[in-house]
Structures are given as structure tokens and as C-alpha cells.
Amino acid sequence: MPPTPDILLMLDLRRSTALSRDAATALVRAVEPALATLNDSMAETLRVPLALSYGDEIAGLFADPAAAYEALAHLRGVLRDHAGFRYVVAAGRAGARSADIRQVGGPVFKAASQAMARLKTRDAPCVWQVGDGLEARTLTSLAALVEAALADLTDYQFAVYERLARGDNQKDVAEALGKFPQSVSDAVHRGKLTLLIDAEATLRARLAALKQSENIDYAESMELD
């Protein structure tokens, strides 16, 4: 049986070079403590800690794809006020075992870098290179739907989404945000949050099933999307 592949999360910050010095500083100040928190809370599933590299890329190696998505979901909220992003999740062989993600390399990084280049060309939000070809395409379609829906939310709708996604009911959300229940209900309707949360739940369920089946193919052996 082949060894369990590493799961690489590679996240590219959009238009980071266009940020002013103050905006870039604010971005780093927001991201670095968030990465430290994730590296501590997810230590058991992280094989190489998440790190901000070259000023516009966040990457880390995980033991399973579900954990990579949870890290991404956390970073999404942190980055929302600072920069957009695109991302790749790939399964494959890493190179050197180093605590510095920039020193790891290996086939999984090559596959992810090639996929990221294609995302930039197409201005697409994400690609999953995990599971067999059909599963990878399904994950990519679901994830792209989620990211597109999130990108259309207002800040208020996003705040409502975050609380509903973690299990709060609409009454609890209204109390936490200091809003009337009708205001929260309107945000749910206008942001189509029920559909969004259902799509994300389906994505998480597929990732959990993939983890349990251990049917995680190597990125370099897959047809790259």
C-alpha cells in the first residue's frame, strides 16, 4: 500500500502587489496571528505548519483534505477585509521534511504550482486535486460555487453566514449582532445563505468521506484540471 499522501493547501493573495504599504502591513498583522492560532490548534493534522511566504502566498501541509478546508475557512474570514484569494488543494508527495514550507518542495508543490498558474490565467477561485478525477472535479465545482456565493455577500450577510455556519440559529445571531430577527431573516434570504450553507455542508461531507475511505490519489498521477 502506498504511503498516505501529503495534502497541500496553497493560497494566493490576489493583487497583493497593488496594496499600499499600510494595507500590506495591516494584512500581515492580521494573517500572522491567525496562522499561529491555526498551527497551534491543528498541530495534530499539520505535517508542515502554515506560513506566509513571499508576501502573497500562504501554504501548509496537512494529513487530510478536510483539515485543509477548515484552515481555509478560518483564513477566509481573516482575509475578507484585506485581500481576495484563490487556492489549490493537492494530494501528493512532498520533498524534504522541513519546518519551513518554502524548503519542502516535491511533486505535490509542482502540481499545485501548475494548477495555480492556470487559476490565475482563468481568474478562477479554486481547484481540488484530491481523490480520483471525478471526485476532484466534483470537489472543485462545489468549492467554486461556495466561493462565488461568498464573494457576493455584503459584510453583514457574511457576519450572519459565519454564525449560522457554526450552528447558531437566527435568533441567536440577531442577539449576537445586535439586530432585529427580521433583519437577520432578510440577510439569509437576500444572501441565499441557506443554499450556501447546504453547499458547504455537502463539500465538508464529501471531504470527510474521502478521509475515511483513504482513497486519496497523488496529484501528479491525476489529470490536472
Side-chain angles (χ1 to χ4, degrees):
M1 179 180 294
T4 303
D6 295 301
I7 307 298
L8 171 64
L9 169 63
M10 180 183 288
L11 188 153
D12 174 73
L13 303 180
R14 295 172 180 263
R15 295 180 288 277
S16 59
T17 56
L19 294 176
S20 68
R21 179 177 297 180
D22 287 347
T25 298
L27 170 63
V28 172
R29 287 178 176 171
V31 168
E32 287 188 338
L35 295 180
T37 297
L38 284 170
N39 287 336
D40 182 58
S41 64
M42 306 186 78
E44 290 186 2
T45 190
L46 270 165
R47 291 178 173 171
V48 178
L50 289 153
L52 177 64
S53 303
Y54 314 113
D56 64 354
E57 182 179 291
I58 296 171
L61 279 180
F62 293 80
D64 72 83
Y69 187 76
E70 294 311 316
L72 170 73
H74 180 83
L75 289 171
R76 184 191 288 136
V78 174
L79 290 170
R80 183 174 173 84
D81 292 334
H82 301 280
F85 65 89
R86 57 177 66 86
Y87 74 89
V88 174
V89 179
R93 290 189 295 270
R97 285 299 183 189
S98 170
D100 184 348
I101 194 69
R102 294 170 297 182
Q103 304 300 320
V104 175
V108 70
F109 271 86
K110 181 179 179 180
S113 296
Q114 291 172 346
M116 184 65 76
R118 289 192 292 276
L119 286 183
K120 291 179 180 180
T121 299
R122 302 199 311 256
D123 197 29
C126 60
V127 65
W128 284 77
Q129 296 182 337
V130 178
D132 61 26
L134 177 60
E135 184 66 15
R137 286 189 288 273
T138 300
L139 292 172
T140 296
S141 296
L142 277 169
L145 185 156
V146 168
E147 296 303 329
L150 288 167
D152 287 340
L153 299 184
T154 65
D155 289 344
Y156 175 51
Q157 289 168 350
F158 186 80
V160 172
Y161 150 76
E162 282 194 305
R163 292 181 176 276
L164 291 176
R166 71 189 189 196
D168 291 354
N169 60 42
Q170 290 191 27
K171 180 180 178 181
D172 291 337
V173 173
E175 291 178 355
L177 297 180
K179 299 289 185 178
F180 290 110
Q182 186 60 48
S183 174
V184 172
S185 179
D186 288 344
V188 170
H189 175 71
R190 291 173 183 169
K192 299 179 180 178
L193 299 188
T194 300
L195 291 174
L196 168 58
I197 291 169
D198 286 347
E200 194 168 29
T202 300
L203 175 59
R204 283 188 164 102
R206 295 191 78 99
L207 291 172
L210 190 63
K211 174 185 175 182
Q212 292 172 2
S213 71
E214 298 183 353
N215 181 28
I216 303 175
D217 293 340
Y218 285 92
E220 61 269 28
S221 67
M222 292 167 45
E223 179 181 351
L224 301 182
D225 204 348

